[in-house]
Amino acid sequence: MNNPSNPTSIIAPYIESFLQEKRTSGFDYRTEELLLLRFDRYCYERKLRNAEIAKDFLQDWCMKLDTECNSQLSKRISVVRRLLLHMVSLGVETYIPRNDVHRELVLPHIFTDKELKELFIAVDGYIPKSPSFVHRRMANEYRIIFRMLYCCGLRNSECCGIPTECVDLESGTLMVLDSKGHKDRLVKMADDLTELCRRYWEYIGTWFGYSPKWFFPGKNPENHIPNTSVDMAFTRIWETTPSARQCNNKPTPHDLRFTFITDRINEWAKEGTDVNAMMPYLQKYVGHKSLEETYYYYHTSSGLYDVISKFDSLSDVVIPEVKA
């Protein structure tokens, strides 16, 4: 916030104290900080002279930009709303905007077997444009990361930020620490994925000459590989596949997690397994706070209902109505 290249408005001290409060409570708030920096510039450029912000002053901030979707606008309003509530708690009389933006329901992309095969062939053959050793090393990381996202149903942030000490290559387990909802969980890997991880880690050890702190080190090995790097690499690699040309929506790494959940349930249904009995195990494995959250995941998965609905005795139980 004190970077001289960024304008500092009259509310900058409140932004600082708000961020400190959130981080003391255990929240990361890096994305929110970027939005608050934008709001700081917004206030500076409009020459805000008083921290007591009026409704009219926020009108432009609450307008949807041409480059935004509803969820981005909602996020932008929401983080400023929380900042202003913080200011009110400190005795500042300021207007609190409502967040009435209707978030668009974006259906996940559930990968077909053909698409998954093409994706993994593409990532295994991926050669970065930069010939540097660092980019070549990170290309090897992508091969494992994409497989972990699909085979273990991890969130992108969980996979990128896993410490080396939390990966047990003997037992083939991952300890996911302080995940969403501040919960830890143990994730078992399949034998073939464990073997790939062992070979990958031998490569990393040879490359560095020591064991880095992070299982997936970034360009600076003191930091883990950023989520954004994985997002961008995923897009580049996916767009080289034959299926990308026939795909109407744009898949993301998170869709590999959706596909993992969908595929597990599809397999259970086809095998005649009691899906309802298995759901608590799946909930714990993927780190959901409640069964309803897991139900919601595949309630929005277009590829699931066609399979489950064939089993009349299960369909009403396994796909309950879940509100967005």
Side-chain angles (χ1 to χ4, degrees):
M1 290 297 303
N2 295 322
N3 188 330
S5 65
N6 294 318
T8 303
S9 74
I10 194 170
I11 65 165
Y14 296 105
I15 294 176
E16 292 280 9
S17 64
F18 176 62
L19 289 172
Q20 183 178 2
E21 177 185 282
K22 287 297 182 181
R23 285 169 178 159
T24 301
S25 300
F27 295 96
D28 182 71
Y29 252 59
R30 278 179 289 185
T31 301
E32 288 82 355
E33 181 177 13
L34 294 175
L35 290 172
L36 290 171
L37 281 170
R38 283 177 58 187
F39 186 63
D40 181 67
R41 287 195 295 273
Y42 174 91
C43 295
Y44 179 87
E45 290 166 358
R46 285 160 179 76
K47 297 179 172 57
L48 180 68
R49 303 300 183 195
N50 193 316
E52 296 178 355
I53 298 174
K55 179 179 180 179
D56 291 347
F57 183 82
L58 292 172
Q59 184 174 355
D60 288 344
W61 179 262
C62 296
M63 292 285 288
K64 185 177 179 180
L65 304 176
D66 292 338
T67 56
E68 282 184 319
C69 63
N70 281 1
S71 60
Q72 290 170 319
L73 172 61
S74 178
K75 178 79 171 179
R76 193 158 53 80
I77 295 173
S78 179
V79 70
V80 168
R81 174 181 163 83
R82 292 195 292 271
L83 167 67
L84 298 178
L85 286 169
H86 170 74
M87 291 168 61
V88 168
S89 73
L90 297 177
V92 179
E93 294 184 6
T94 184
Y95 173 75
I96 306 297
R98 295 178 59 182
N99 188 356
D100 295 328
V101 180
H102 176 66
R103 294 198 175 208
E104 300 153 336
L105 176 61
V106 179
L107 293 177
H109 179 84
I110 305 302
F111 291 91
T112 65
D113 290 343
K114 176 176 177 290
E115 289 172 339
L116 287 172
K117 182 178 180 180
E118 290 176 1
L119 175 65
F120 291 128
I121 288 174
V123 71
D124 288 344
Y126 173 64
I127 300 175
K129 290 182 179 180
S130 171
S132 73
F133 289 114
V134 171
H135 285 91
R136 286 166 56 189
R137 185 251 297 168
M138 292 176 72
N140 279 286
E141 295 184 27
Y142 299 142
R143 292 163 192 157
I144 304 300
I145 289 173
F146 291 176
R147 285 175 167 87
M148 272 194 183
L149 293 176
Y150 171 66
C151 297
C152 300
L154 297 182
R155 299 176 178 93
N156 192 6
S157 59
E158 293 172 344
C159 192
C160 292
I162 191 163
T164 298
E165 64 183 7
C166 291
V167 182
D168 187 338
L169 295 178
E170 290 297 319
S171 63
T173 55
L174 310 171
M175 177 58 74
V176 180
L177 301 176
D178 196 26
S179 184
K180 187 176 179 180
H182 306 289
K183 296 287 183 67
D184 301 341
R185 72 182 191 278
L186 192 66
V187 175
K188 175 68 177 175
M189 295 188 290
D191 291 342
D192 53 354
L193 178 59
T194 302
E195 181 57 32
L196 283 175
C197 287
R198 288 177 185 140
R199 280 186 259 158
Y200 157 77
W201 197 241
E202 287 177 7
Y203 163 81
I204 290 293
T206 302
W207 203 92
F208 281 103
Y210 64 92
S211 293
K213 174 183 177 182
W214 304 101
F215 197 67
F216 297 112
K219 291 180 182 178
N220 176 357
E222 291 299 311
N223 303 319
H224 63 72
I225 189 170
N227 303 359
T228 50
S229 295
V230 173
D231 288 335
M232 290 187 290
F234 180 89
T235 298
R236 287 195 301 270
I237 293 167
W238 166 253
E239 288 178 350
T240 67
T241 66
S243 291
R245 291 187 285 274
Q246 285 85 44
C247 186
N248 293 326
N249 60 344
K250 182 181 177 182
T252 68
H254 196 67
D255 289 329
L256 290 169
R257 174 174 162 88
F258 265 103
T259 303
F260 166 80
I261 293 173
T262 300
D263 284 354
R264 296 293 78 71
I265 297 170
N266 281 351
E267 288 178 11
W268 291 333
K270 289 175 181 177
E271 294 167 357
T273 302
D274 185 344
V275 179
N276 197 43
M278 297 300 293
M279 287 302 295
Y281 297 101
L282 183 59
Q283 173 207 337
K284 296 295 184 184
Y285 188 86
V286 299
H288 283 159
K289 291 185 293 184
S290 65
L291 276 174
E292 185 178 38
E293 188 176 355
T294 312
Y295 284 135
Y296 176 73
Y297 250 66
Y298 64 81
H299 186 76
T300 58
S301 299
S302 58
L304 181 71
Y305 189 80
D306 290 341
V307 175
I308 298 292
S309 61
K310 295 177 183 178
F311 301 85
D312 293 338
S313 61
L314 292 176
S315 58
D316 290 338
V317 177
V318 176
I319 308 186
E321 188 66 30
V322 179
K323 295 182 179 179

